[in-house]
Amino acid sequence: MAAEVLVVEDEDDVRRLVRVLLERAGHAVREASNGVEALRLLQVSTPDLVVLDVTMPELDGWQTLERIRDLTEVPVLMLTARAGELDKVRGLKGGADDYVTKPFGRQELLARVEALLRRTSGPPEVRPAYRDAIVMVDYVSREVTVGGRPVQLTPLEFKLLSAFVRHPNETLARDRLLELVWGDTEGFGGDQVKLYVGYLRRKLGWDAAAPSPIETVRGFGYRYRPPAE
């Protein structure tokens, strides 16, 4: 099947090789030499698949993958010289769909690309920025405003807020938040979630003097109620 593939790789020779292989297989290819450029291209048009290198300047592959997952569920094939099991696990837990180690076999790369494309039912959509009466979350720039006031969040706080606003009015158990934000329930517990929910509320200005849209549901978890106009 013909598809559009975005190849994100800072090494010119490797990027050209992947492009030639994919074009010979009938696919259309767009190129980016770093993660920042890749995210800009994703805003313009969502490809059917992303081939993403790990070691890059500006944004590395892990950071780029995290931001891609904020935007879209497009299939991502990680491409890296790191063959260790922990690196593979990190990529898969971070939202990658498959992993190819350099130096790669040409047929193996094409086979993995085709396998991912077969699992894709259609072109994925890029998520727009989230907005309600008070909160704005821009997934591309990672900017957050509350009542028009910019708020600086850590990467983990940003992921926690994103988990809440993507599930409005839904009670999220602590284990569910650990999966969505930390990517794992092992080694973490409810106290970790409680601690960071408190951090997030304070950063956003939702303390005792300003009731928080992030509600505590006793015995269950937390729920985000979008503020009314």
Side-chain angles (χ1 to χ4, degrees), residues 66 153-161 181-182 192 196:
E66 185 176 346
L153 299 181
T154 66
L156 196 146
E157 290 165 349
F158 183 89
K159 290 181 72 174
L160 183 58
L161 177 61
V181 180
W182 282 263
Q192 183 89 353
Y196 275 88

Side-chain angles (χ1 to χ4, degrees), residues 73-124:
E73 293 302 318
V74 60
V76 175
L77 175 66
M78 301 295 286
L79 189 63
T80 177
R82 300 176 180 177
E85 181 181 1
L86 290 178
D87 288 307
K88 294 181 181 180
V89 170
R90 180 181 179 184
L92 295 172
K93 284 189 174 181
D97 296 273
D98 204 351
Y99 201 105
V100 174
T101 303
K102 300 177 185 176
F104 52 83
R106 301 184 182 194
Q107 294 306 311
E108 179 193 4
L109 177 66
L110 289 175
R112 291 182 181 272
V113 166
E114 298 297 341
L116 285 178
L117 291 173
R118 282 196 298 271
R119 285 156 42 189
T120 306
S121 58

Side-chain angles (χ1 to χ4, degrees), residues 150-208:
V151 178
Q152 298 296 320
L153 299 181
T154 66
L156 196 146
E157 290 165 349
F158 183 89
K159 290 181 72 174
L160 183 58
L161 177 61
S162 297
F164 281 126
V165 300
R166 287 177 184 163
H167 300 84
N169 299 311
E170 179 182 340
T171 299
L172 298 174
R174 291 175 178 85
D175 282 351
R176 177 67 173 143
L177 285 168
L178 285 170
E179 292 174 359
L180 291 171
V181 180
W182 282 263
D184 198 352
T185 58
E186 298 294 329
F188 301 102
D191 289 344
Q192 183 89 353
V193 176
K194 181 179 179 180
L195 181 67
Y196 275 88
V197 168
Y199 290 159
L200 182 60
R201 284 170 170 163
R202 287 193 292 274
K203 282 277 190 79
L204 300 177
W206 297 332
D207 51 22

